[in-house]
Amino acid sequence: MIDDILYFMLIVGIIISAGMLFIFVWGAKTGQFDDGDKVTKGLLFDSVDDLNDAIKKEKRIKEAKEKKYKEQE
């Protein structure tokens, strides 16, 4: 009787673990975890204008980094 319960618990645990692994792999492949800063940065900006300003600022920083990298070469 105890052996049957242990085998049942083992099988159920393996099935649940495999399901969770499948969901994690699916999420990683579909890009669910790509933008980790979206939630934290989203709380800092209230309006659409603020978000557009933040996007422009990020583009300027990226362009400055690319320009600096090209100058170093």
Side-chain angles (χ1 to χ4, degrees):
M1 171 101 181
I2 292 177
D3 291 338
D4 294 336
I5 293 172
L6 290 176
Y7 289 131
F8 178 74
M9 290 173 56
L10 180 65
I11 291 170
V12 169
I14 290 172
I15 291 171
I16 290 172
S17 299
M20 293 175 70
L21 178 65
F22 174 76
I23 291 171
F24 174 75
V25 170
W26 170 79
K29 284 187 176 183
T30 58
Q32 299 294 322
F33 305 114
D34 286 348
D35 194 8
D37 293 334
K38 181 179 180 181
V39 176
T40 56
K41 288 185 179 179
L43 297 173
L44 299 175
F45 307 109
D46 294 330
S47 68
V48 175
D49 293 332
D50 291 336
L51 290 172
N52 288 332
D53 290 340
I55 291 170
K56 289 177 186 176
K57 181 180 178 183
E58 288 179 5
K59 285 182 182 178
R60 285 191 302 243
I61 292 171
K62 184 178 177 182
E63 289 171 357
K65 286 181 181 180
E66 289 175 356
K67 184 179 176 183
K68 183 178 180 181
Y69 179 74
K70 287 180 183 179
E71 288 176 357
Q72 288 179 354
E73 291 180 348

